Amino acid sequence: MWAAAPLLLLLLLLLLPLARLCRRGAARLEPAGRAVLITGCDSGFGHLLALRLHRLGFTVFAGCLCPGGDGARRLQREAGGAGRLRVLRLDVTRARDVRAAKELVLSHLPERGFWGLVNNAGISTFGETGWLPMETYEKFADVNLLGSIRTTLAFLPLLRKYKGRIVFMSSIIAYFTLGNGIYSMTKAAIEKFCDALRLEMKKFGVQVCIIQPGNYAPSTKIQPPVSAEEIWSELSEEEKAVYNKEYVQERANFFNSILSEGSTNGNEVVDAMVDALTSPAPKARYMVAKLKEKALVFVCALFPTVVMDSVLSYALSK
């Protein structure tokens, strides 16, 4: 059996593109009468996606952390008031909010049922490992990782029933880190959760897709500019004994320079999210990034760790 494995793998690699081409020739999904729930719609990708799906004809449930906030009110105005777009309170760290969201969706399901769940809500911050307290690690795990899992588990019965789609927001930062290891940690974990879920859901006709954006900080505002003074003021005395203000300032300047280079066109990522929800043959992963970002991922995935460490260490030294 194992002796034939390389031949079978080669055959599979040759047939997969043909199978995908045939499936892509099929008609795209008809959005009318299908519901999609999106988390994190106050701003950024979630906000843009909610409006795009609404224009396409989906019934959209837009989960917002602050349903009375500026972002949620703007979303309702831009969608033209009530109708197929409903804004709801959804803090993915609160099981009560998730249950209430499910009840709302069930009570307002359109004729074709529940089609998609987009786990978009997320937070980001900067800081070397010892600079951040345990409470911050717990918060990030709860929002970026457990929040997506919590919402997914609640809606799995509906997704299985209607053979729908689940879309997760990851990042190329799942492959490497440059000062935001806490964010990388949660994205790497969600990638593995999705890998397991994707295989398990195939037998139910449910497809699972991962979106991997590059640096889109200016278009999403997920990561505001870093203040060296604030970082220093929050460091423990033990960390202050190891680092100095100059080092913290250098790291903050480096990270801020990366943020400023990010893309301002969030619709590039939304295009991938829409394809994941509507294509007859969605990809398992959509990497939406600049060429140099993709090259960094390539090096990280295929080269020995020592090579990647050298590349990143060089970047940090600059």
Side-chain angles (χ1 to χ4, degrees):
M1 173 185 172
W2 292 112
L7 183 59
L8 291 173
L9 179 60
L10 178 60
L11 183 62
L12 184 62
L13 290 173
L14 291 172
L15 291 176
L16 274 177
L18 181 61
R20 182 177 291 276
L21 187 62
C22 293
R23 290 178 65 193
R24 283 195 176 276
R28 296 184 74 84
L29 179 83
E30 172 53 53
R34 300 181 194 271
V36 176
L37 171 70
I38 312 165
T39 67
C41 292
D42 301 79
S43 61
F45 299 137
H47 189 101
L48 293 173
L49 180 65
L51 290 173
R52 179 83 70 85
L53 294 183
H54 178 257
R55 287 196 296 269
L56 287 173
F58 283 100
T59 296
V60 179
F61 294 90
C64 292
L65 184 62
C66 302
D70 292 340
R73 290 200 299 269
R74 189 172 71 254
L75 184 60
Q76 289 176 313
R77 287 197 306 271
E78 292 169 336
R84 286 183 294 97
L85 189 147
R86 293 175 179 272
V87 171
L88 62 146
R89 173 180 171 78
L90 182 51
D91 179 345
V92 296
T93 69
R94 295 162 59 97
R96 182 173 60 188
D97 277 15
V98 175
R99 286 195 299 269
K102 185 177 180 180
E103 291 171 5
L104 180 68
V105 169
L106 284 170
S107 62
H108 294 88
L109 269 183
E111 59 272 22
R112 290 181 174 173
F114 189 70
W115 175 250
L117 169 64
V118 181
N119 287 299
N120 168 74
I123 53 177
S124 178
T125 193
F126 165 81
E128 296 197 3
T129 302
W131 296 1
L132 305 170
M134 189 61 201
E135 292 77 14
T136 301
Y137 282 94
E138 291 171 345
K139 178 181 178 180
F140 269 71
D142 205 10
V143 175
N144 293 358
L145 174 61
L146 299 180
S148 292
I149 296 173
R150 186 176 291 113
T151 309
T152 298
L153 293 179
F155 283 89
L156 266 185
L158 276 177
L159 290 160
R160 286 193 294 250
K161 178 179 179 179
Y162 292 103
K163 301 183 186 303
R165 306 273 173 92
I166 316 175
V167 180
F168 290 84
M169 182 59 66
S170 180
S171 169
I172 63 168
I173 289 297
Y175 295 94
F176 59 87
T177 179
L178 284 171
N180 54 349
I182 189 171
Y183 185 67
S184 300
M185 171 194 74
T186 59
K187 293 306 180 181
I190 205 66
E191 291 260 351
K192 293 300 104 181
F193 174 75
C194 291
D195 285 344
L197 184 67
R198 185 176 61 253
L199 293 174
E200 294 165 2
M201 289 298 106
K202 282 183 180 296
K203 57 182 172 287
F204 300 108
V206 176
Q207 301 198 60
V208 179
C209 304
I210 303 172
I211 311 297
Q212 300 172 315
N215 181 3
Y216 281 84
S219 62
T220 64
K221 302 296 189 293
I222 188 175
Q223 174 64 67
V226 172
S227 167
E229 284 296 326
E230 288 182 11
I231 294 172
W232 181 259
S233 67
E234 294 174 3
L235 288 183
S236 66
E237 292 303 317
E238 290 89 347
E239 293 300 306
K240 286 180 178 179
V242 176
Y243 299 96
N244 55 44
K245 282 187 177 182
E246 289 74 18
Y247 179 83
V248 173
Q249 185 66 63
E250 288 175 2
R251 294 300 88 199
N253 291 344
F254 171 77
F255 196 66
N256 286 335
S257 69
I258 292 177
L259 294 178
S260 67
E261 295 172 359
S263 174
T264 59
N265 185 8
N267 281 305
E268 295 171 343
V269 178
V270 173
D271 289 343
M273 299 166 86
V274 170
D275 191 78
L277 288 166
T278 62
S279 171
K283 301 176 184 177
R285 282 177 168 82
Y286 291 81
M287 186 175 293
V288 190
K290 297 176 181 177
L291 181 60
K292 65 179 182 180
E293 293 171 327
K294 291 181 178 179
L296 199 54
V297 171
F298 177 82
V299 172
C300 182
L302 297 181
F303 284 74
T305 301
V306 64
V307 175
M308 192 62 188
D309 285 353
S310 298
V311 171
L312 295 179
S313 294
Y314 176 78
L316 287 167
S317 71
K318 292 298 183 180

